[in-house]
Amino acid sequence: MLQGNNIHFCITDRPIIGDVNIKLEPGKFTVIIGPNGAGKSTLFKILSGDIPCSKGEVLYNGKPVNSFSSQQLARIRAVMPQHSSVSFPFSAWEVVELGTLNAPQEFDQKEIIEVMKKLQIWHLRDRSYNLLSGGEKQRVQLGRVLIQIWKKQAFPRYLLLDEPISSMDVSLQHLVLDLLNELKTRNIGVLSVLHDLSLVGNYADEVIMMKNGNVSFQGNVADVFTSYNLEFLFGYPIQVRKFNDGPGLLVHSLPLHHINHRLSQVQ
Ligand code: ADP
Ligand code: MG
């Protein structure tokens, strides 16, 4: 289990994260959602051990994150930050291969090829990373992170992703989320910040809803991913409906001018 207990974070006395308690279970896909500036990336960096919290603790499988060496930490969790840059003229292959430096065991090229094919970036292998499109870069960065935890291990591990699919087209977004669902069955807890509510409603097991540095709601998607909670979170009318009475969810928001029109009729 990955736990964040009573997490607070301040910058020059300004609270960025209030008092957050979360649990991330292996085998589950947990998503953090919330408005811009809610503190999602800050919480994400604290959970990944990149920055220390002002108060509280982060535990990986019961041990404080700061008790691990960076090598030990790399064995149990892989992190894709919201923004990554590559300052050397690496090819896409070389960027993915960088993930093997953090991997616990020797890697053979077969696994790198497998990951690149799954992410549909094999054809980009010799291309210069810096010249790739936004969505292509994201898939290459994801490849680098996935290779770190690709080999199965006996102990629970965690995959932390901050807006990993924000630049991808819709079919690639589904491809990646489906792959994350496959990964969680390897005793891996997946935590991701996402913005597309329709994708969240249809892929996540658990959702953490953040607003103004606090968790407003968290729990099973079936329990907390409701029109009421989403409207509160984003301060905008949002509707969640069953899709054709099947298992899928439809998340819908009207354009602002329709809402203004409706409000003017009510007044
Ligand atoms: P989110 O990822 O939810 O959009 P962030 O966690 O990146 O939000 O930021 C939360 C708030 O904290 C924002 O108002 C942001 O401007 C502020 N913030 C984050 N990091 C810093 C920093 N290093 N210095 C000052 N303010 C920061
Ligand atoms: Mg962010």
Side-chain angles (χ1 to χ4, degrees), residues 21-45:
N21 289 283
I22 68 155
K23 282 187 178 139
L24 175 66
E25 290 176 46
K28 286 210 168 149
F29 183 15
T30 303
V31 173
I32 305 180
I33 59 171
N36 290 156
K40 303 179 298 296
S41 292
T42 307
L43 177 65
F44 180 91
K45 286 178 208 158

Side-chain angles (χ1 to χ4, degrees), residues 9 11 14 16-17 34-43 45 82 162-163 193 195:
F9 185 77
I11 291 174
R14 187 164 77 91
I16 306 286
I17 303 287
N36 290 156
K40 303 179 298 296
S41 292
T42 307
L43 177 65
K45 286 178 208 158
Q82 192 171 355
D162 194 352
E163 298 196 30
V193 179
H195 272 300

Side-chain angles (χ1 to χ4, degrees), residues 80 95-96 99 115-116 119 121 138-148:
M80 179 172 163
V95 172
V96 175
V115 168
M116 291 187 85
L119 290 169
I121 49 173
Q138 269 188 333
R139 265 142 61 222
V140 171
Q141 287 295 346
L142 195 57
R144 176 181 65 77
V145 172
L146 292 190
I147 207 79
Q148 195 183 323

